[in-house]
Amino acid sequence: MSATSTNPRSPALSVVSPCYNEEAVLPELYRRVTSVCRDTVGEDYEIVLVDDGSSDRTRAMMEELSAADPHVVAVILSRNHGHQLALTAGLQIARGDRILILDADLQDPPELLPKMMARMDDGVDVVYGKRTERRGETAFKVHSARLFYRVLNKLVEIEIPTDTGDFRLMSRRTLDTLNQMPEHHRFIRGMVSWIGFRQEPLEYIRSERLAGETKYPFRKMVHFAVDAIAGFSVLPLKISLWLGIICAVIGVMFMGYTVWGFLSGNVVQGWTTTMTAVLILGSGQLMMLGVIGGYLGRLYMQSKNRPLYIIDQIICQPQVNAVRDDADRDDPAA
């Protein structure tokens, strides 16, 4: 069943796709998304493409697509802000009654849209893709991702679905709630889970990347994992407290051993015992300071109250832009 727009100025569907150096896949992304949108909602849709400071022809290709198709809205960021913030920019711009998040690499098939729409017709607010198989990815990446989600769910107080990404269809009220959340270090799939409402999975097989290279090397994956854990749990702070207690107990035990040796007349050589105690206590203190510093750094960056991203330009056809401007004037939050 096709969705119909509840607001004459808003399309029934927005597809939001952040792009970073995706010139090799952008034409196929546009073709497949356009095809499935027309089959599902007719002409009542928009495609929001966000250029996250690309260094190839991604921006130029977006401009060409926008000039040729009034459904395409190209959002050009001032620099590379990272995937989660680029996605945030696109979600802020999207005006659809339902919003599909889709990565540009086409590992997540847009052809699942009709099934997602049917679930939402039954009253579901979020239909998220759940991967049953990840083709074209190394065993290390598959197992590390699986481990990450299981560890994350042990640390946080909410349930974040395992084996998922940002690929999902959301209702307007879910997105409006998400757009009110101002944190800088964003883990959007966790933020959507935190919102609640009715959320259901749709299982699928994740395909190989169509072209190009992954934008999440190991370093970025670690950074992403840290943001996810720190954004949804204070358990690392509690662990650092217990680590401090354990180190203190070990230190007291070493002190008792040293005193016992002195009273019993055994000369304590000192070097090995001292170095062991210093290393144990010092490493524990450094770990605790690192955890506390991580949380403190996030508070510091948040307290600056800088914008999450800066948009250089929004490119769409004049008649589309006029409608968007009118809607902005009528929206007290704009």
Side-chain angles (χ1 to χ4, degrees):
M1 182 184 297
S2 299
T4 58
S5 175
T6 58
N7 185 335
R9 290 195 179 115
S10 301
L13 174 69
S14 294
V15 180
V16 179
S17 185
C19 304
Y20 177 64
N21 291 341
E22 299 289 3
E23 64 175 354
V25 299
L26 200 54
E28 183 66 7
L29 171 71
Y30 169 74
R31 185 191 69 80
R32 288 174 60 178
V33 170
T34 298
S35 176
V36 73
C37 286
R38 286 176 174 168
D39 290 343
T40 307
V41 296
E43 296 296 321
D44 198 11
Y45 69 93
E46 67 175 359
I47 303 173
V48 181
L49 302 175
V50 184
D51 175 43
D52 189 23
S54 299
S55 57
D56 61 2
R57 292 193 68 254
T58 297
R59 174 173 179 168
M61 294 173 70
M62 285 184 181
E63 293 176 353
E64 293 169 2
L65 291 173
S66 179
D69 187 348
H71 296 97
V72 177
V73 178
V75 181
I76 312 300
L77 300 187
S78 62
R79 62 172 177 84
N80 178 255
H81 287 76
H83 178 272
Q84 295 293 284
L85 291 181
L87 177 55
T88 300
L91 293 175
Q92 291 278 0
I93 294 297
R95 296 190 175 276
D97 293 330
R98 297 177 179 181
I99 303 90
L100 177 68
I101 299 176
L102 180 70
D103 284 344
D105 57 19
L106 290 174
Q107 288 186 275
D108 305 317
E111 289 76 16
L112 289 178
L113 175 63
K115 292 183 178 180
M116 290 178 159
M117 295 285 277
R119 294 277 189 93
M120 195 162 282
D121 289 338
D122 291 334
V124 179
D125 280 282
V126 179
V127 183
Y128 57 87
K130 184 176 178 66
R131 305 157 182 166
T132 58
E133 184 179 340
R134 300 164 65 112
R135 295 176 178 173
E137 296 184 359
T138 64
F140 171 77
K141 187 169 184 179
V142 172
H143 292 301
S144 62
R146 188 171 299 155
L147 176 64
F148 161 69
Y149 279 107
R150 279 143 185 85
V151 171
L152 180 62
N153 275 315
K154 295 292 184 181
L155 295 176
V156 301
E157 297 179 354
I158 60 172
E159 182 180 355
I160 299 177
T162 59
D163 303 316
T164 62
D166 292 317
F167 179 48
R168 63 196 61 218
L169 181 68
M170 298 187 297
S171 65
R172 184 75 239 176
R173 70 167 182 167
T174 303
L175 179 59
D176 287 342
T177 305
L178 178 64
N179 285 340
Q180 295 173 15
M181 301 168 71
E183 52 255 49
H184 281 245
H185 298 84
R186 302 176 76 82
F187 181 58
I188 289 177
R189 66 200 71 167
M191 295 165 69
V192 174
S193 296
W194 180 90
I195 291 171
F197 299 141
R198 185 179 170 187
Q199 306 193 17
E200 291 185 1
L202 179 66
E203 294 186 345
Y204 72 105
I205 297 175
R206 197 174 200 227
S207 306
E208 299 181 21
R209 184 180 175 86
L210 182 66
E213 299 179 351
T214 178
K215 305 306 185 295
Y216 267 99
F218 180 74
R219 177 182 59 82
K220 287 189 176 181
M221 288 173 58
V222 172
H223 184 74
F224 187 60
V226 171
D227 282 345
I229 294 172
F232 289 88
S233 176
V234 295
L235 189 57
L237 289 172
K238 297 178 181 178
I239 292 175
S240 69
L241 172 62
W242 284 105
L243 179 61
I245 293 173
I246 292 172
C247 289
V249 170
I250 294 174
V252 170
M253 292 172 60
F254 270 109
M255 184 179 68
Y257 170 74
T258 304
V259 172
W260 174 82
F262 175 77
L263 295 176
S264 64
N266 296 323
V267 179
V268 180
Q269 297 297 323
W271 188 87
T272 302
T273 305
T274 302
M275 289 302 298
T276 301
V278 168
L279 288 172
I280 292 174
L281 294 174
S283 60
Q285 290 172 344
L286 289 174
M287 288 180 63
M288 287 184 286
L289 286 174
V291 172
I292 295 171
Y295 281 92
L296 183 61
R298 282 165 170 74
L299 286 173
Y300 171 68
M301 295 303 297
Q302 192 74 31
S303 69
K304 289 177 176 290
N305 203 29
R306 292 175 180 170
L308 299 179
Y309 52 83
I310 299 175
I311 295 178
D312 179 23
Q313 193 176 6
I314 299 178
I315 304 171
C316 54
Q317 292 193 11
Q319 64 272 25
V320 178
N321 197 35
V323 171
R324 301 181 70 87
D325 288 343
D326 288 341
D328 283 340
R329 283 192 289 271
D330 293 342
D331 184 359

